[in-house]
Amino acid sequence: MAKVLVLYYSAYGHIEKMAEAIAEGAREAGATVDIKRVPELVSEDMARTANFKLDQAAPVAQVDDLPGYDAIVIGTGTRYGRLTSQMAAFLDQTGPLWARGALNGKVGGAFASTATQHGGQETTLFSIITNLLHLGLIPVGLPYAFQGQMRLDEITGGSPYGATTIAASDGSRQPSENELAGARFQGRHIAEVATRLFG
């Protein structure tokens, strides 16, 4: 049975919902799953003023948690087509893990959210995947076996590099059922690959 960590940063709750769907899919594949978030960097007053979602139940991760998992799936919103500073700050602390190869050969994955269709979904995924590769993880995306990413009858997220959602510039759009299905598919796929490698 693979042990999977879904590690995320979510300012407004969109990535939190996607993280729950990733975890659901991984559990469907028989994995043991933990969902953890990275620390917030802005003050509570600033977060409240910006209407951040402050009631997230997931515990805050520690860098030293990461080696205990067979697979690590990282999700974040986007900032100018790249990962958020909160996620970057967390990953920037993994140097000691990198130095000793603590994550070499583990399975990795990425998922993301942007305000618009063209707001940097794939570049944000690649900014996460770059970190995964530097840390020695084997990235697993969202293959076209998930047909939902090929839909033309609705605006939808999703890419072969990972599950995504579109939030709208005011955060009013929540992940669609198709986007959540893509996240569940990716979570299940990552858990299946990790089980083949480590199970």
Side-chain angles (χ1 to χ4, degrees):
M1 182 182 299
K3 190 172 182 186
V4 176
L5 172 63
V6 183
L7 179 69
Y8 77 91
Y9 173 74
S10 185
Y12 300 104
H14 300 82
I15 286 293
E16 180 187 32
K17 284 185 181 176
M18 294 289 281
E20 291 165 355
I22 293 267
E24 184 182 334
R27 289 184 184 113
E28 287 172 4
T32 300
V33 184
D34 291 329
I35 304 175
K36 296 184 181 182
R37 58 193 170 94
V38 301
E40 182 56 76
L41 298 180
V42 304
S43 70
E44 186 172 336
D45 286 344
M46 185 178 289
R48 287 189 189 286
T49 300
N51 296 312
F52 282 16
K53 187 175 186 294
L54 300 176
D55 62 348
Q56 298 177 48
V60 173
Q62 304 297 318
V63 169
D64 289 340
D65 295 341
L66 304 186
Y69 295 91
D70 302 312
I72 302 167
V73 194
I74 297 175
T76 186
T78 189
R79 297 294 183 269
Y80 304 108
R82 59 178 173 71
L83 75 170
T84 57
S85 58
Q86 290 86 347
M87 184 59 74
F90 184 87
L91 294 174
D92 283 350
Q93 297 174 61
T94 60
L97 302 182
W98 168 82
R100 68 176 194 267
L103 305 180
N104 286 347
K106 294 180 183 292
V107 176
F111 61 105
S113 172
T114 57
T116 65
Q117 280 181 285
H118 309 293
Q121 295 212 346
E122 292 185 348
T123 55
T124 301
L125 292 170
F126 273 112
S127 70
I128 298 168
I129 291 168
T130 299
N131 285 267
L132 296 176
L133 288 166
H134 275 265
L135 288 165
L137 287 93
I138 304 163
V140 173
L142 179 63
Y144 282 111
F146 175 67
Q147 296 283 297
Q149 65 181 301
M150 297 169 64
R151 292 180 69 162
L152 298 176
D153 62 329
E154 67 177 60
I155 294 172
T156 191
S159 147
Y161 317 112
T164 62
T165 187
I166 303 162
S169 58
D170 63 357
S172 61
R173 183 185 183 275
Q174 294 300 309
S176 70
E177 181 47 47
N178 187 56
E179 292 165 340
L180 293 171
R184 285 189 290 271
F185 188 105
Q186 186 180 9
R188 187 167 51 251
H189 183 48
I190 287 169
E192 289 168 351
V193 171
T195 298
R196 288 190 198 111
L197 290 175
F198 303 109

